Amino acid sequence: MLGLQYWMVPIFSGCVWLAMLLGMLLWWAVEKHELHLTPMADDQYIAYISDIGAHELQPLFISLGTLAVVTFDAVFIAERWLRHLHRLPANTTNLERWLWVLSSIFALVGAIGLIILTCANDVDHLQTHDVCLAIFIAGYIISAIFICWEYQRLEVQYRQYRVLLISFWIKFIFIVVEAGLAIAFGVLNDRSMWNAGAIVEWTIAFIFTFYVWSFAIDFIPAVRHGQFVSEETVLDMAEEGQNRMGNGVQDGRITNF
């Protein structure tokens, strides 16, 4: 049951994030009955997420955005705890532990960036809002890079657990796609192509939902309540067992081990 609860945390976080996006989008498209919002440009007919979040829905933007990233960052702590208990494949080197630390730090930076940008709307605090938006996107992309690096090293030690390889490739694809979209987003905004920029921003946000959900895969092995050991540990245990068996034979008896 405990494993199921951990597994549900990223699902809950992703659902909160998705509910926030859909609520804001539907409010603008259906409830507001007005395509043009402040501070949209005269020739802009697709609103940025922040354009919508700067008005009546700012409390929803702040509350659901904060809840989503706080619960998502809690996933990093939960994952580390389960690795410590060997209910998930445990880190075997200091480098792997530092990679987790760095991924968690940059996830926290990304969360702080999002929380501040939801509070500093793009009507009254445009410069602060844009800086925090960049921090949010960059923070989680860099965090994903360190996660991929950690999972790649874990997969070498735990080749029998294919979930590590699957999770690695999902997060790697997220890095490539989101980094490419983030660059396109910056270029489009720099060229004042607001409608295309808004489409890219919405795309980045929706893809982030699936990235959050991908962490549910990482918790699946914890449901089994098994103890995870690396291939290197298995080989060392087998070698030790053979040595003890050999010593027992030399003594004229078989030693239990």
Side-chain angles (χ1 to χ4, degrees):
M1 182 63 182
L2 186 61
L4 179 60
Q5 292 175 348
Y6 283 119
W7 173 80
M8 291 177 65
V9 175
I11 297 297
F12 171 78
S13 179
C15 287
V16 170
W17 179 259
L18 181 61
M20 180 195 73
L21 294 177
L22 292 177
M24 297 174 70
L25 185 61
L26 290 173
W27 175 85
W28 170 67
V30 179
E31 180 67 22
K32 187 62 178 175
H33 299 296
E34 182 180 352
L35 293 180
H36 194 276
L37 299 172
T38 305
M40 293 172 63
D42 293 336
D43 60 344
Q44 181 183 349
Y45 55 86
I46 300 178
Y48 284 83
I49 299 172
S50 300
D51 295 337
I52 301 172
H55 298 279
E56 292 95 322
L57 291 190
Q58 186 169 12
L60 179 141
F61 194 23
I62 295 173
S63 58
L64 293 189
T66 299
L67 179 60
V69 294
V70 168
T71 54
F72 178 46
D73 283 12
V75 170
F76 290 78
I77 299 174
E79 184 178 355
R80 178 62 191 146
W81 176 245
L82 290 175
R83 293 197 192 285
H84 175 72
L85 296 178
H86 291 270
R87 292 184 57 197
L88 290 176
N91 298 122
T92 58
T93 66
N94 287 330
L95 176 58
E96 292 169 3
R97 296 182 183 93
W98 276 108
L99 290 173
W100 171 83
V101 170
L102 291 171
S103 67
S104 300
I105 289 174
F106 278 100
L108 179 60
V109 170
I112 293 173
L114 179 91
I115 293 171
I116 295 176
L117 78 85
T118 60
C119 297
N121 63 65
D122 63 350
V123 175
D124 302 317
H125 312 280
L126 179 59
Q127 185 174 2
T128 301
H129 182 91
D130 288 346
V131 170
C132 289
L133 177 60
I135 291 174
F136 163 62
I137 296 175
Y140 278 110
I141 289 178
I142 296 174
S143 173
I145 291 173
F146 286 118
I147 291 173
C148 277
W149 192 355
E150 178 192 5
Y151 282 18
Q152 186 274 330
R153 293 185 59 85
L154 283 171
E155 198 275 330
V156 172
Q157 297 294 330
Y158 299 90
R159 293 188 183 276
Q160 65 271 40
Y161 304 115
R162 307 307 297 174
V163 66
L164 288 169
L165 185 61
I166 295 171
S167 184
F168 165 83
W169 280 111
I170 291 174
K171 292 168 177 59
F172 180 78
I173 292 172
F174 167 80
I175 293 170
V176 174
V177 173
E178 291 287 68
L181 289 173
I183 294 172
F185 178 70
V187 171
L188 291 169
N189 283 337
D190 185 62
R191 297 181 178 180
S192 299
M193 301 175 66
W194 309 120
N195 293 309
I199 292 173
V200 171
E201 184 191 49
W202 282 100
T203 303
I204 291 173
F206 278 113
I207 290 176
F208 184 70
T209 306
F210 295 97
Y211 172 67
V212 174
W213 282 340
S214 75
F215 281 80
I217 298 174
D218 303 343
F219 288 115
I220 290 176
V223 179
R224 303 171 184 172
H225 301 282
Q227 295 291 313
F228 292 87
V229 293
S230 65
E231 288 186 348
E232 182 179 352
T233 303
V234 172
L235 292 175
D236 289 342
M237 292 171 63
E239 182 178 354
E240 180 182 356
Q242 290 176 356
N243 291 336
R244 294 181 64 181
M245 177 67 77
N247 292 336
V249 172
Q250 291 176 1
D251 293 338
R253 56 188 172 82
I254 297 178
T255 304
N256 292 326
F257 62 92

